[in-house]
Amino acid sequence: MLACAAHALQVGKNARKLTLPVYVAHGTKDACTSVAASRRFVEGGVSSADKTFRAVEGGYHELLHGPEWRDCTEHIASWIKSHAAAAAGKEAGKEAAKAEAGSGSKL
């Protein structure tokens, strides 16, 4: 238990360094961890410009093993797909720019 608390403190201290996209879903009836702390971590802790916090009404600690599992997995999959599509679009744009820059005529 102390190891978990120490790890949580370390994560909190380094939250500002997190700039990658962040997705956190937390059940509102979770008695193991604080939904308010998770919300604070996402909304005010991490530096990422792309962050999503989702409170799952009535959900407990293991959202993917409770009655809301299907809704949660669909939401997570949708978030991942939209981010993958956005990343693929950015990468395609970079490749097109490289190709255009490389096709310029040389005298």
Side-chain angles (χ1 to χ4, degrees):
M1 187 68 146
L2 288 176
C4 290
H7 181 70
L9 288 173
Q10 194 66 18
V11 169
K13 287 180 185 177
N14 291 303
R16 285 271 172 230
K17 296 177 184 176
L18 186 56
T19 58
L20 296 171
V22 174
Y23 177 94
V24 174
H26 201 121
T28 60
K29 290 189 176 183
D30 186 342
C32 297
T33 58
S34 168
V35 67
S38 290
R39 183 184 301 275
R40 282 192 307 273
F41 175 77
V42 173
E43 294 176 354
V46 299
S47 292
S48 176
D50 182 357
K51 49 193 172 184
T52 301
F53 175 81
R54 181 171 182 242
V56 179
E57 193 61 42
Y60 291 97
H61 188 67
E62 294 188 13
L63 295 173
L64 301 181
H65 295 280
E68 61 282 317
W69 73 270
R70 187 177 310 275
D71 178 60
C72 288
T73 54
E74 288 173 359
H75 200 272
I76 292 167
S78 174
W79 188 88
I80 291 171
K81 286 176 186 176
S82 70
H83 282 75
K90 287 179 186 176
E91 194 60 33
K94 288 179 188 175
E95 291 300 319
K98 281 184 190 176
E100 187 175 306
S103 68
S105 63
K106 296 180 183 178
L107 298 174

Coordinates of all heavy atoms in Angstrom, one line a residue:
M1 N 0.8 -1.2 0.0 CA 0.0 0.0 0.0 C 0.9 1.3 0.0 O 0.6 2.2 -0.7 CB -0.9 0.0 1.2 CG -1.9 1.1 1.2 SD -3.1 0.8 -0.1 CE -4.5 1.4 0.6
L2 N 1.9 1.3 0.8 CA 2.8 2.4 0.8 C 3.5 2.6 -0.5 O 3.7 3.8 -0.9 CB 3.9 2.3 1.9 CG 3.3 2.4 3.3 CD1 4.4 2.2 4.4 CD2 2.7 3.8 3.6
A3 N 3.8 1.5 -1.2 CA 4.4 1.7 -2.5 C 3.5 2.3 -3.5 O 3.9 3.2 -4.3 CB 4.9 0.3 -3.0
C4 N 2.2 2.0 -3.4 CA 1.2 2.7 -4.3 C 1.1 4.1 -4.0 O 1.1 5.0 -4.9 CB -0.1 2.0 -4.1 SG -0.2 0.3 -4.8
A5 N 1.1 4.5 -2.7 CA 1.0 5.9 -2.3 C 2.3 6.7 -2.8 O 2.2 7.8 -3.3 CB 0.9 6.0 -0.8
A6 N 3.4 6.1 -2.7 CA 4.7 6.7 -3.1 C 4.6 6.9 -4.6 O 5.1 7.9 -5.1 CB 5.9 5.9 -2.7
H7 N 4.2 5.9 -5.3 CA 4.1 6.0 -6.8 C 3.1 7.1 -7.2 O 3.4 7.9 -8.1 CB 3.7 4.7 -7.4 CG 3.6 4.7 -8.9 ND1 4.7 4.8 -9.7 CD2 2.5 4.6 -9.7 CE1 4.3 4.8 -10.9 NE2 3.0 4.7 -11.0
A8 N 2.0 7.2 -6.5 CA 1.0 8.2 -6.8 C 1.6 9.6 -6.6 O 1.3 10.5 -7.4 CB -0.3 8.0 -6.0
L9 N 2.3 9.8 -5.5 CA 3.0 11.1 -5.3 C 4.0 11.4 -6.4 O 4.0 12.6 -6.8 CB 3.6 11.1 -3.9 CG 2.7 11.1 -2.7 CD1 3.5 10.9 -1.4 CD2 1.9 12.4 -2.7
Q10 N 4.7 10.4 -6.8 CA 5.7 10.6 -7.9 C 5.0 11.1 -9.2 O 5.5 11.9 -9.9 CB 6.5 9.4 -8.1 CG 7.8 9.6 -8.9 CD 8.8 10.5 -8.2 OE1 8.8 10.7 -7.0 NE2 9.7 11.1 -9.0
V11 N 3.9 10.4 -9.5 CA 3.2 10.7 -10.7 C 2.6 12.2 -10.6 O 2.8 12.9 -11.6 CB 2.0 9.7 -10.9 CG1 1.1 10.2 -12.0 CG2 2.5 8.4 -11.3
G12 N 2.1 12.5 -9.5 CA 1.6 13.9 -9.3 C 2.7 14.9 -9.4 O 2.5 16.0 -10.0
K13 N 3.9 14.7 -8.9 CA 5.0 15.6 -9.0 C 5.4 15.8 -10.4 O 5.9 16.9 -10.8 CB 6.2 15.1 -8.2 CG 6.0 15.2 -6.7 CD 7.2 14.7 -6.0 CE 7.0 14.7 -4.5 NZ 8.2 14.1 -3.8
N14 N 5.3 14.8 -11.3 CA 5.7 14.9 -12.6 C 4.6 15.1 -13.7 O 4.8 15.1 -14.9 CB 6.5 13.6 -13.0 CG 7.8 13.5 -12.3 OD1 8.6 14.3 -12.4 ND2 7.9 12.4 -11.5
A15 N 3.4 15.4 -13.2 CA 2.3 15.6 -14.1 C 2.5 16.7 -15.1 O 2.1 16.5 -16.2 CB 1.0 15.9 -13.2
R16 N 3.1 17.8 -14.7 CA 3.3 18.9 -15.6 C 4.2 18.5 -16.8 O 4.2 19.1 -17.8 CB 4.0 20.1 -14.9 CG 3.0 20.8 -14.0 CD 2.3 21.9 -14.8 NE 1.3 22.5 -14.1 CZ 0.1 22.7 -14.6 NH1 -0.2 22.3 -15.8 NH2 -0.9 23.2 -13.9
K17 N 5.0 17.5 -16.6 CA 5.9 17.0 -17.7 C 5.1 16.2 -18.8 O 5.6 16.0 -19.9 CB 7.0 16.1 -17.2 CG 7.9 16.9 -16.3 CD 9.0 15.9 -15.7 CE 9.9 16.6 -14.7 NZ 10.8 15.7 -14.1
L18 N 3.9 15.8 -18.5 CA 3.1 15.0 -19.4 C 2.4 15.9 -20.5 O 1.6 16.7 -20.2 CB 2.0 14.2 -18.6 CG 1.2 13.2 -19.4 CD1 2.1 12.2 -20.1 CD2 0.2 12.5 -18.5
T19 N 2.9 15.8 -21.7 CA 2.4 16.6 -22.8 C 1.7 15.8 -23.9 O 1.2 16.3 -24.8 CB 3.5 17.4 -23.4 OG1 4.5 16.5 -23.9 CG2 4.1 18.4 -22.4
L20 N 1.8 14.4 -23.8 CA 1.1 13.6 -24.8 C -0.4 13.6 -24.5 O -0.9 14.0 -23.4 CB 1.6 12.2 -24.6 CG 3.0 11.9 -24.9 CD1 3.4 10.5 -24.6 CD2 3.3 12.2 -26.4
P21 N -1.3 13.2 -25.5 CA -2.7 13.1 -25.2 C -3.0 12.2 -24.0 O -2.4 11.2 -23.8 CB -3.2 12.5 -26.5 CG -2.2 12.8 -27.5 CD -0.9 12.8 -26.8
V22 N -4.0 12.6 -23.2 CA -4.3 12.0 -22.0 C -5.8 11.7 -22.0 O -6.6 12.5 -22.3 CB -4.0 12.8 -20.7 CG1 -4.5 12.2 -19.5 CG2 -2.5 13.1 -20.7
Y23 N -6.2 10.4 -21.6 CA -7.6 10.0 -21.5 C -7.7 9.3 -20.1 O -7.0 8.4 -19.9 CB -8.0 9.1 -22.6 CG -9.4 8.6 -22.4 CD1 -10.5 9.2 -23.1 CD2 -9.7 7.5 -21.6 CE1 -11.8 8.7 -22.9 CE2 -11.0 7.0 -21.5 CZ -12.0 7.6 -22.1 OH -13.3 7.2 -22.0
V24 N -8.6 9.8 -19.3 CA -8.9 9.2 -18.0 C -10.4 9.1 -17.9 O -11.2 10.0 -18.0 CB -8.3 10.1 -16.8 CG1 -8.8 9.5 -15.5 CG2 -6.8 10.2 -16.9
A25 N -10.8 7.8 -17.6 CA -12.2 7.6 -17.2 C -12.3 7.1 -15.8 O -11.4 6.3 -15.4 CB -12.8 6.5 -18.2
H26 N -13.2 7.6 -15.0 CA -13.3 7.3 -13.6 C -14.7 7.1 -13.2 O -15.6 8.0 -13.5 CB -12.6 8.4 -12.8 CG -12.2 8.0 -11.5 ND1 -10.9 8.1 -11.0 CD2 -12.9 7.4 -10.4 CE1 -10.8 7.6 -9.8 NE2 -12.0 7.2 -9.4
G27 N -15.0 6.0 -12.5 CA -16.4 5.8 -12.0 C -16.8 6.7 -10.9 O -15.9 6.9 -10.0
T28 N -17.9 7.3 -10.9 CA -18.4 8.2 -9.8 C -18.6 7.5 -8.5 O -18.7 8.1 -7.5 CB -19.6 9.0 -10.2 OG1 -20.7 8.0 -10.5 CG2 -19.4 9.8 -11.5
K29 N -18.7 6.2 -8.5 CA -19.0 5.4 -7.3 C -17.7 4.6 -6.9 O -17.8 3.7 -6.1 CB -20.2 4.5 -7.4 CG -21.5 5.2 -7.4 CD -22.6 4.3 -7.3 CE -23.9 5.1 -7.3 NZ -25.1 4.2 -7.1
D30 N -16.6 5.0 -7.4 CA -15.3 4.3 -7.1 C -14.9 4.6 -5.6 O -14.8 5.8 -5.3 CB -14.2 4.8 -8.0 CG -12.9 4.1 -7.9 OD1 -12.7 3.4 -6.8 OD2 -12.1 4.2 -8.8
A31 N -14.9 3.6 -4.8 CA -14.5 3.7 -3.4 C -13.0 3.5 -3.2 O -12.6 3.7 -2.0 CB -15.3 2.8 -2.6
C32 N -12.3 3.1 -4.2 CA -10.9 2.8 -4.1 C -10.0 4.0 -4.3 O -9.0 4.2 -3.7 CB -10.4 1.7 -5.0 SG -11.2 0.1 -4.7
T33 N -10.4 4.8 -5.3 CA -9.6 6.0 -5.6 C -10.5 7.2 -5.8 O -11.7 7.0 -6.1 CB -8.7 5.8 -6.9 OG1 -9.6 5.5 -8.0 CG2 -7.7 4.7 -6.7
S34 N -10.0 8.4 -5.7 CA -10.8 9.6 -5.8 C -11.1 10.1 -7.2 O -10.2 10.4 -7.9 CB -10.1 10.7 -5.0 OG -10.7 12.0 -5.2
V35 N -12.4 10.2 -7.5 CA -12.7 10.7 -8.8 C -12.3 12.2 -8.9 O -11.9 12.7 -9.9 CB -14.3 10.5 -9.1 CG1 -15.1 11.3 -8.2 CG2 -14.6 10.8 -10.5
A36 N -12.4 12.9 -7.8 CA -12.0 14.3 -7.8 C -10.5 14.5 -8.0 O -10.1 15.4 -8.8 CB -12.4 15.0 -6.5
A37 N -9.7 13.6 -7.5 CA -8.3 13.7 -7.7 C -8.0 13.4 -9.1 O -7.1 14.0 -9.7 CB -7.6 12.7 -6.8
S38 N -8.7 12.4 -9.7 CA -8.4 12.1 -11.2 C -8.8 13.3 -12.0 O -8.1 13.6 -13.0 CB -9.2 10.9 -11.6 OG -8.7 9.7 -11.0
R39 N -9.9 13.9 -11.7 CA -10.3 15.1 -12.5 C -9.3 16.2 -12.3 O -8.9 16.9 -13.3 CB -11.7 15.6 -12.0 CG -12.2 16.8 -12.8 CD -13.5 17.4 -12.3 NE -14.6 16.4 -12.3 CZ -15.3 16.1 -13.3 NH1 -15.2 16.8 -14.5 NH2 -16.3 15.2 -13.2
R40 N -8.8 16.5 -11.1 CA -7.8 17.5 -10.9 C -6.5 17.2 -11.7 O -5.8 18.1 -12.2 CB -7.4 17.7 -9.4 CG -8.5 18.4 -8.6 CD -8.0 18.8 -7.2 NE -7.5 17.7 -6.5 CZ -8.2 16.9 -5.7 NH1 -9.5 17.1 -5.6 NH2 -7.7 15.9 -5.0
F41 N -6.1 15.9 -11.7 CA -4.9 15.5 -12.4 C -5.0 15.8 -13.9 O -4.1 16.3 -14.4 CB -4.7 14.0 -12.2 CG -3.6 13.4 -13.0 CD1 -2.2 13.6 -12.5 CD2 -3.8 12.7 -14.1 CE1 -1.2 13.1 -13.3 CE2 -2.7 12.2 -14.9 CZ -1.4 12.4 -14.4
V42 N -6.1 15.5 -14.4 CA -6.3 15.7 -15.9 C -6.5 17.2 -16.2 O -5.8 17.8 -17.0 CB -7.5 14.9 -16.4 CG1 -7.8 15.3 -17.9 CG2 -7.2 13.5 -16.3
E43 N -7.4 17.9 -15.5 CA -7.8 19.2 -15.8 C -6.8 20.3 -15.4 O -6.7 21.3 -16.0 CB -9.2 19.5 -15.3 CG -10.3 18.7 -16.0 CD -11.7 18.9 -15.4 OE1 -11.8 19.6 -14.4 OE2 -12.6 18.3 -16.0
G44 N -6.1 20.0 -14.3 CA -5.2 21.0 -13.8 C -3.7 20.5 -13.6 O -2.9 21.3 -13.3
G45 N -3.5 19.2 -13.7 CA -2.2 18.7 -13.4 C -1.3 18.5 -14.7 O -0.2 19.0 -14.7
V46 N -1.8 17.9 -15.7 CA -1.0 17.6 -16.9 C -0.9 18.8 -17.8 O -1.8 19.6 -17.8 CB -1.5 16.4 -17.6 CG1 -1.5 15.1 -16.8 CG2 -2.9 16.6 -18.2
S47 N 0.2 18.9 -18.5 CA 0.4 20.0 -19.4 C -0.2 19.8 -20.8 O -0.2 20.7 -21.6 CB 1.9 20.4 -19.5 OG 2.3 20.9 -18.3
S48 N -0.6 18.6 -21.1 CA -1.1 18.3 -22.4 C -2.2 19.2 -22.8 O -3.1 19.5 -22.0 CB -1.6 16.8 -22.4 OG -2.2 16.5 -23.7
A49 N -2.2 19.6 -24.1 CA -3.3 20.5 -24.6 C -4.4 19.6 -25.0 O -5.6 20.0 -25.1 CB -2.8 21.2 -25.8
D50 N -4.2 18.3 -25.1 CA -5.2 17.3 -25.6 C -5.5 16.4 -24.4 O -4.7 15.4 -24.2 CB -4.7 16.5 -26.8 CG -5.7 15.5 -27.3 OD1 -6.8 15.4 -26.7 OD2 -5.4 14.9 -28.3
K51 N -6.5 16.7 -23.6 CA -6.8 15.9 -22.4 C -8.3 15.7 -22.3 O -9.0 16.6 -22.5 CB -6.2 16.5 -21.2 CG -6.4 17.9 -21.0 CD -5.5 18.5 -19.9 CE -5.7 20.0 -19.8 NZ -4.7 20.5 -18.8
T52 N -8.6 14.5 -21.9 CA -10.0 14.1 -21.8 C -10.2 13.5 -20.4 O -9.6 12.5 -20.1 CB -10.5 13.1 -22.9 OG1 -10.3 13.7 -24.1 CG2 -11.9 12.7 -22.7
F53 N -11.2 14.0 -19.7 CA -11.6 13.4 -18.4 C -13.1 13.0 -18.6 O -13.9 13.8 -19.0 CB -11.5 14.3 -17.2 CG -12.0 13.6 -15.9 CD1 -11.2 12.8 -15.2 CD2 -13.3 13.9 -15.5 CE1 -11.7 12.1 -14.1 CE2 -13.8 13.3 -14.4 CZ -13.0 12.4 -13.7
R54 N -13.4 11.7 -18.3 CA -14.8 11.2 -18.4 C -15.2 10.6 -17.1 O -14.6 9.6 -16.7 CB -14.8 10.2 -19.5 CG -16.3 9.7 -19.7 CD -16.4 8.8 -21.0 NE -17.7 8.4 -21.1 CZ -18.1 7.1 -21.1 NH1 -17.2 6.2 -21.0 NH2 -19.3 6.8 -21.3
A55 N -16.2 11.2 -16.4 CA -16.8 10.7 -15.2 C -17.9 9.7 -15.7 O -18.8 10.1 -16.4 CB -17.3 11.8 -14.4
V56 N -17.7 8.4 -15.3 CA -18.7 7.4 -15.7 C -19.7 7.3 -14.5 O -19.4 6.8 -13.5 CB -18.0 6.1 -16.0 CG1 -19.1 5.0 -16.3 CG2 -17.0 6.2 -17.1
E57 N -20.9 7.9 -14.7 CA -21.9 7.9 -13.7 C -22.3 6.5 -13.2 O -22.6 5.6 -14.0 CB -23.2 8.6 -14.3 CG -24.2 9.0 -13.2 CD -23.6 10.0 -12.2 OE1 -22.9 10.9 -12.5 OE2 -23.9 9.8 -11.0
G58 N -22.2 6.3 -11.9 CA -22.5 5.0 -11.3 C -21.4 4.0 -11.4 O -21.6 2.9 -10.9
G59 N -20.3 4.3 -12.1 CA -19.3 3.3 -12.3 C -18.4 3.1 -11.0 O -18.3 4.1 -10.3
Y60 N -17.9 1.9 -10.9 CA -17.1 1.6 -9.7 C -15.6 1.6 -10.2 O -15.3 2.3 -11.2 CB -17.5 0.3 -9.1 CG -18.8 0.4 -8.4 CD1 -20.0 -0.1 -9.1 CD2 -18.9 0.9 -7.1 CE1 -21.2 0.0 -8.5 CE2 -20.2 0.9 -6.5 CZ -21.3 0.5 -7.2 OH -22.5 0.6 -6.6
H61 N -14.7 1.0 -9.5 CA -13.3 1.0 -9.7 C -12.9 0.4 -11.0 O -12.0 0.9 -11.7 CB -12.5 0.4 -8.5 CG -11.1 0.6 -8.6 ND1 -10.5 1.8 -8.5 CD2 -10.1 -0.3 -8.8 CE1 -9.2 1.7 -8.6 NE2 -8.9 0.5 -8.8
E62 N -13.4 -0.8 -11.4 CA -13.0 -1.5 -12.6 C -14.1 -1.3 -13.7 O -14.9 -2.2 -13.9 CB -12.8 -2.9 -12.3 CG -11.6 -3.1 -11.4 CD -11.2 -4.6 -11.2 OE1 -11.7 -5.4 -12.0 OE2 -10.4 -4.9 -10.3
L63 N -14.0 -0.2 -14.4 CA -15.0 0.2 -15.3 C -15.2 -0.9 -16.5 O -16.2 -1.1 -17.0 CB -14.7 1.5 -15.9 CG -14.8 2.7 -15.0 CD1 -14.3 4.0 -15.6 CD2 -16.2 2.9 -14.4
L64 N -14.1 -1.5 -16.8 CA -14.1 -2.5 -17.9 C -14.6 -3.9 -17.5 O -14.7 -4.8 -18.3 CB -12.8 -2.6 -18.6 CG -12.2 -1.3 -19.1 CD1 -10.9 -1.5 -19.8 CD2 -13.2 -0.6 -20.1
H65 N -14.9 -4.0 -16.2 CA -15.4 -5.3 -15.7 C -16.8 -5.1 -15.0 O -17.4 -6.0 -14.5 CB -14.5 -5.9 -14.6 CG -13.2 -6.2 -15.2 ND1 -13.0 -7.4 -15.9 CD2 -12.0 -5.6 -15.2 CE1 -11.7 -7.5 -16.3 NE2 -11.1 -6.4 -15.9
G66 N -17.4 -3.9 -15.1 CA -18.7 -3.7 -14.6 C -19.8 -3.6 -15.7 O -19.5 -3.8 -16.8
P67 N -21.0 -3.3 -15.3 CA -22.1 -3.3 -16.3 C -21.9 -2.2 -17.4 O -22.5 -2.3 -18.4 CB -23.3 -3.0 -15.4 CG -22.8 -2.4 -14.1 CD -21.4 -3.0 -13.9
E68 N -21.0 -1.2 -17.1 CA -20.8 -0.2 -18.1 C -19.7 -0.5 -19.1 O -19.2 0.4 -19.8 CB -20.6 1.2 -17.4 CG -19.3 1.2 -16.5 CD -19.6 0.5 -15.1 OE1 -20.6 0.7 -14.5 OE2 -18.7 -0.2 -14.7
W69 N -19.2 -1.7 -19.0 CA -18.0 -2.1 -19.8 C -18.1 -1.8 -21.3 O -17.2 -1.3 -21.9 CB -17.6 -3.5 -19.5 CG -18.5 -4.5 -20.2 CD1 -19.6 -5.1 -19.7 CD2 -18.3 -5.0 -21.5 NE1 -20.2 -5.9 -20.6 CE2 -19.4 -5.9 -21.7 CE3 -17.4 -4.8 -22.6 CZ2 -19.6 -6.6 -22.9 CZ3 -17.6 -5.5 -23.8 CH2 -18.7 -6.4 -23.9
R70 N -19.2 -2.1 -21.8 CA -19.4 -1.9 -23.3 C -19.3 -0.4 -23.7 O -18.6 0.0 -24.6 CB -20.7 -2.5 -23.8 CG -20.8 -2.5 -25.3 CD -22.1 -3.1 -25.8 NE -22.3 -4.5 -25.3 CZ -21.8 -5.6 -25.8 NH1 -21.0 -5.6 -26.8 NH2 -22.1 -6.8 -25.2
D71 N -20.1 0.4 -22.9 CA -20.0 1.8 -23.2 C -18.6 2.4 -23.0 O -18.2 3.2 -23.8 CB -21.0 2.6 -22.2 CG -21.0 4.1 -22.4 OD1 -21.3 4.5 -23.6 OD2 -20.6 4.8 -21.5
C72 N -17.9 2.0 -22.0 CA -16.6 2.4 -21.7 C -15.6 2.0 -22.8 O -14.8 2.8 -23.3 CB -16.1 1.9 -20.4 SG -16.9 2.8 -19.0
T73 N -15.7 0.7 -23.2 CA -14.8 0.3 -24.3 C -15.0 1.0 -25.6 O -14.1 1.3 -26.3 CB -14.8 -1.3 -24.5 OG1 -16.1 -1.7 -24.7 CG2 -14.2 -2.0 -23.3
E74 N -16.3 1.2 -25.9 CA -16.7 1.9 -27.1 C -16.1 3.4 -27.1 O -15.6 3.9 -28.1 CB -18.2 1.9 -27.4 CG -18.7 0.6 -27.8 CD -20.2 0.5 -27.9 OE1 -20.9 1.5 -27.6 OE2 -20.7 -0.6 -28.2
H75 N -16.2 4.0 -25.9 CA -15.8 5.4 -25.8 C -14.2 5.4 -25.9 O -13.7 6.3 -26.6 CB -16.2 5.9 -24.4 CG -16.2 7.4 -24.4 ND1 -15.1 8.1 -24.0 CD2 -17.2 8.3 -24.7 CE1 -15.4 9.4 -24.1 NE2 -16.6 9.6 -24.5
I76 N -13.6 4.5 -25.3 CA -12.1 4.4 -25.4 C -11.6 4.2 -26.8 O -10.7 4.8 -27.3 CB -11.5 3.4 -24.4 CG1 -11.8 3.8 -23.0 CG2 -10.0 3.1 -24.7 CD1 -11.5 2.7 -21.9
A77 N -12.3 3.2 -27.5 CA -11.9 2.9 -28.8 C -12.2 4.1 -29.8 O -11.3 4.3 -30.6 CB -12.7 1.7 -29.3
S78 N -13.2 4.8 -29.6 CA -13.5 5.9 -30.4 C -12.5 7.0 -30.2 O -12.0 7.6 -31.1 CB -14.9 6.5 -30.0 OG -15.1 7.7 -30.7
W79 N -12.0 7.2 -28.9 CA -11.0 8.2 -28.6 C -9.7 7.8 -29.3 O -9.0 8.6 -29.9 CB -10.8 8.3 -27.1 CG -9.9 9.4 -26.7 CD1 -10.3 10.7 -26.4 CD2 -8.5 9.3 -26.4 NE1 -9.1 11.4 -26.0 CE2 -8.1 10.6 -26.0 CE3 -7.6 8.3 -26.5 CZ2 -6.7 10.8 -25.7 CZ3 -6.3 8.5 -26.2 CH2 -5.9 9.8 -25.7
I80 N -9.3 6.5 -29.2 CA -8.1 6.1 -29.8 C -8.2 6.2 -31.3 O -7.2 6.7 -32.0 CB -7.8 4.6 -29.4 CG1 -7.4 4.5 -27.9 CG2 -6.7 4.0 -30.3 CD1 -7.4 3.1 -27.4
K81 N -9.3 5.8 -31.9 CA -9.4 5.9 -33.4 C -9.3 7.3 -33.9 O -8.7 7.6 -34.9 CB -10.7 5.3 -33.8 CG -10.8 3.8 -33.8 CD -12.1 3.3 -34.1 CE -12.2 1.8 -34.0 NZ -13.6 1.3 -34.2
S82 N -10.0 8.3 -33.2 CA -9.9 9.7 -33.6 C -8.5 10.2 -33.5 O -8.0 11.0 -34.3 CB -10.9 10.5 -32.8 OG -10.5 10.7 -31.5
H83 N -7.8 9.8 -32.4 CA -6.4 10.3 -32.3 C -5.5 9.6 -33.3 O -4.5 10.3 -33.8 CB -5.9 10.0 -30.8 CG -6.4 11.1 -29.9 ND1 -7.8 11.1 -29.5 CD2 -5.9 12.1 -29.3 CE1 -8.0 12.1 -28.7 NE2 -6.8 12.8 -28.6
A84 N -5.7 8.4 -33.6 CA -4.9 7.7 -34.6 C -5.1 8.3 -36.0 O -4.2 8.5 -36.7 CB -5.2 6.2 -34.6
A85 N -6.4 8.7 -36.3 CA -6.7 9.3 -37.6 C -6.0 10.7 -37.6 O -5.5 11.0 -38.7 CB -8.2 9.4 -37.8
A86 N -6.1 11.4 -36.6 CA -5.4 12.7 -36.6 C -3.9 12.6 -36.7 O -3.3 13.4 -37.5 CB -5.8 13.5 -35.3
A87 N -3.3 11.7 -36.0 CA -1.9 11.4 -36.1 C -1.5 11.0 -37.6 O -0.5 11.5 -38.1 CB -1.4 10.4 -35.1
A88 N -2.3 10.1 -38.2 CA -2.0 9.7 -39.5 C -2.2 10.9 -40.5 O -1.4 11.0 -41.4 CB -3.0 8.6 -39.9
G89 N -3.1 11.7 -40.3 CA -3.3 12.9 -41.1 C -2.1 13.8 -41.0 O -1.6 14.4 -42.0
K90 N -1.6 14.0 -39.8 CA -0.4 14.9 -39.6 C 0.8 14.3 -40.3 O 1.6 15.0 -40.9 CB -0.1 15.1 -38.1 CG -1.1 16.0 -37.4 CD -0.8 16.1 -36.0 CE -1.8 16.9 -35.2 NZ -1.5 16.9 -33.8
E91 N 1.0 13.0 -40.2 CA 2.1 12.3 -40.8 C 2.0 12.3 -42.3 O 3.0 12.6 -43.0 CB 2.1 10.8 -40.3 CG 3.4 10.1 -40.6 CD 4.6 10.8 -39.9 OE1 4.5 11.3 -38.8 OE2 5.7 10.8 -40.6
A92 N 0.8 12.2 -42.8 CA 0.6 12.3 -44.3 C 1.0 13.7 -44.8 O 1.6 13.8 -45.8 CB -0.8 11.9 -44.7
G93 N 0.6 14.7 -44.0 CA 0.9 16.1 -44.4 C 2.4 16.3 -44.4 O 3.0 17.0 -45.2
K94 N 3.1 15.7 -43.4 CA 4.6 15.8 -43.3 C 5.2 15.2 -44.6 O 6.2 15.7 -45.2 CB 5.1 15.2 -42.1 CG 4.8 16.0 -40.8 CD 5.4 15.2 -39.6 CE 5.0 15.8 -38.3 NZ 5.4 15.0 -37.2
E95 N 4.7 14.0 -44.9 CA 5.3 13.3 -46.1 C 5.0 14.1 -47.3 O 5.9 14.1 -48.2 CB 4.7 11.9 -46.2 CG 5.1 10.9 -45.0 CD 6.6 10.7 -45.0 OE1 7.3 10.6 -46.1 OE2 7.2 10.7 -43.9
A96 N 3.9 14.6 -47.5 CA 3.5 15.4 -48.7 C 4.4 16.7 -48.8 O 4.9 17.0 -49.8 CB 2.1 15.8 -48.7
A97 N 4.7 17.3 -47.6 CA 5.6 18.5 -47.6 C 7.0 18.1 -48.0 O 7.7 18.8 -48.7 CB 5.5 19.1 -46.2
K98 N 7.5 16.9 -47.5 CA 8.8 16.5 -47.9 C 8.9 16.2 -49.4 O 9.9 16.5 -50.0 CB 9.1 15.2 -47.1 CG 9.6 15.4 -45.7 CD 9.9 14.0 -45.1 CE 10.1 14.0 -43.6 NZ 10.4 12.7 -43.1
A99 N 7.9 15.5 -49.9 CA 7.8 15.2 -51.3 C 7.8 16.4 -52.2 O 8.5 16.6 -53.2 CB 6.6 14.3 -51.6
E100 N 7.0 17.4 -51.7 CA 7.0 18.7 -52.5 C 8.3 19.4 -52.4 O 8.8 20.0 -53.4 CB 5.8 19.6 -51.9 CG 5.6 20.8 -52.7 CD 4.4 21.6 -52.2 OE1 3.3 21.0 -52.0 OE2 4.5 22.8 -51.9
A101 N 8.9 19.4 -51.3 CA 10.2 20.1 -51.1 C 11.3 19.4 -51.9 O 12.1 20.1 -52.5 CB 10.6 20.2 -49.6
G102 N 11.2 18.1 -52.0 CA 12.2 17.4 -52.8 C 12.0 17.4 -54.3 O 12.9 17.1 -55.0
S103 N 10.8 17.8 -54.7 CA 10.5 17.8 -56.2 C 10.8 19.2 -56.8 O 10.5 19.3 -58.0 CB 9.1 17.4 -56.4 OG 8.2 18.4 -56.0
G104 N 11.3 20.1 -56.1 CA 11.6 21.4 -56.7 C 12.7 21.3 -57.7 O 13.6 20.5 -57.6
S105 N 12.6 22.1 -58.8 CA 13.6 22.0 -59.8 C 14.9 22.7 -59.4 O 15.0 23.7 -58.7 CB 13.1 22.7 -61.1 OG 12.9 24.1 -60.8
K106 N 16.0 22.1 -59.8 CA 17.4 22.5 -59.5 C 18.0 23.1 -60.8 O 17.9 22.4 -61.8 CB 18.2 21.4 -58.9 CG 17.7 20.9 -57.6 CD 18.5 19.9 -57.0 CE 17.9 19.3 -55.7 NZ 18.7 18.3 -55.2
L107 N 18.6 24.2 -60.7 CA 19.3 24.7 -61.9 C 20.7 24.5 -61.9 O 21.4 24.3 -61.0 CB 19.1 26.3 -62.0 CG 17.6 26.7 -62.1 CD1 17.5 28.2 -62.0 CD2 17.0 26.2 -63.4

